[in-house]
Amino acid sequence: MLKVLVAIDGPAGAGKSTIAKLVAKKFDLMYIDTGAMYRAITYLAQIRNIPPSNVEGLCNLINSISMYFENGKIIVNGEDLSAEIRDPNVSGNVSLYASIPEVRTLLVKLQKDLASEYEVVMDGRDIGTVVMPNAPFKFFLTATPEIRADRRYKELKEKNQQIEYKDILEEIIKRDYIDSNRQTSPLKKAKDAIEIDTTNYTIEEVVDEISNLIQNTIIKRRKDS
Ligand code: CDP
């Protein structure tokens, strides 16, 4: 029986999380937002004054908390941190914390455990390459930086956040640079991932394309077995 594991990677604002949520719903899979996990660690490290240089402190922090997803919300030590982790302060620092190899090892282990227990859609930067290298479905979503910044700007404006378009564009370009150039599991398309440039497509069109590819493979595998 084919285990449905879907990896969705790509840079900030490519539409990964919206698309991943919809695909998860369509196929009744668990949605795991790995970016939210790195964001939650960054948020907690900031309020507890643990700088990126204190690797031991960060590892102790990760090992001492409980973290899981419930209805698309990230619950840490029993508290819903979904809003807090989108704060610009977190967005501006998350890539620094996420570039620390020891932090990645611990979070990747949690992510791999979830993927071995459940059928999942997971989105992030290293899902197709490191977390689920054997996933039968891998997608790499891209779009121009301007379009991605524009999408993020509209999203944050809807949440009434005071934010400038140029600051968002600057932040995602900086984050993409750090994510793509770090030593440990950088943002990279897996060789066997299907790349989709979402610049000129709506969310629905991308979801349909991904869903059709998944559905066709499921039907073909069933026929073959
Ligand atoms: O939603 P957005 O594209 O803004 O980013 P995110 O998915 O919430 O991820 C936030 C940050 O976490 C990224 O910029 C990466 O630095 C880091 N991240 C990572 O290193 N590896 C992942 N698998 C997911 C996120």
Side-chain angles (χ1 to χ4, degrees):
M1 191 62 181
L2 174 70
K3 180 165 178 186
V4 183
L5 296 172
V6 185
I8 302 184
D9 289 302
K16 297 182 302 294
S17 62
T18 314
I19 289 162
K21 262 182 223 156
L22 292 166
V23 171
K25 202 167 169 206
K26 244 184 178 159
F27 292 92
D28 195 22
L29 309 167
M30 181 186 278
Y31 167 54
I32 314 281
D33 177 352
T34 64
M37 299 168 81
Y38 290 95
R39 284 174 176 274
I41 297 308
T42 303
Y43 171 74
L44 290 178
Q46 285 181 326
I47 55 175
R48 296 184 192 187
N49 286 318
I50 311 173
S53 57
N54 183 355
V55 175
E56 200 188 332
L58 289 169
C59 292
N60 289 339
L61 168 69
I62 297 171
N63 286 326
S64 70
I65 57 172
S66 77
M67 180 157 60
Y68 60 91
F69 290 90
E70 202 175 70
N71 303 323
K73 297 187 183 314
I74 185 159
I75 313 291
V76 182
N77 287 342
E79 197 187 337
D80 177 6
L81 291 185
S82 308
E84 287 80 352
I85 62 167
R86 303 285 153 201
D87 190 274
N89 241 329
V90 174
S91 302
N93 288 287
V94 59
S95 289
L96 284 180
Y97 286 91
S99 67
I100 300 165
E102 292 83 353
V103 167
R104 302 200 70 80
T105 303
L106 293 175
L107 292 187
V108 166
K109 166 136 193 352
L110 284 177
Q111 293 155 10
K112 279 179 182 272
D113 286 350
L114 287 166
S116 72
E117 196 166 337
Y118 305 98
E119 289 194 308
V120 302
V121 179
M122 220 180 255
D123 77 337
R125 303 294 187 284
D126 57 344
I127 310 306
T129 51
V130 175
V131 181
M132 303 199 298
N134 298 322
F137 305 104
K138 296 184 185 178
F139 300 93
F140 193 83
L141 305 186
T142 61
T144 62
E146 289 74 19
I147 284 282
R148 293 188 281 117
D150 189 53
R151 289 176 183 163
R152 189 50 52 89
Y153 176 73
K154 287 179 180 145
E155 198 178 299
L156 293 172
K157 273 281 156 192
E158 267 174 30
K159 291 180 186 158
N160 290 324
Q161 285 206 21
Q162 295 298 322
I163 201 104
E164 298 284 333
Y165 170 81
K166 70 169 183 22
D167 293 337
I168 305 240
L169 180 60
E170 204 174 288
E171 180 227 295
I172 66 172
I173 289 175
K174 185 174 150 211
R175 206 140 57 86
D176 288 351
Y177 181 83
I178 302 176
D179 291 347
S180 307
N181 289 285
R182 69 181 174 226
Q183 289 286 320
T184 314
S185 49
L187 165 64
K188 204 171 79 185
K189 178 183 155 322
K191 280 200 187 78
D192 52 349
I194 295 171
E195 182 161 346
I196 304 176
D197 182 346
T198 70
T199 304
N200 297 311
Y201 293 104
T202 62
I203 293 288
E204 290 72 25
E205 285 170 327
V206 181
V207 171
D208 282 350
E209 184 171 346
I210 291 179
S211 302
N212 288 338
L213 286 163
I214 296 175
Q215 192 63 49
N216 291 341
T217 306
I218 293 176
I219 292 169
K220 186 170 179 305
R221 292 275 185 107
R222 279 202 190 126
K223 265 196 204 144
D224 292 348
S225 64

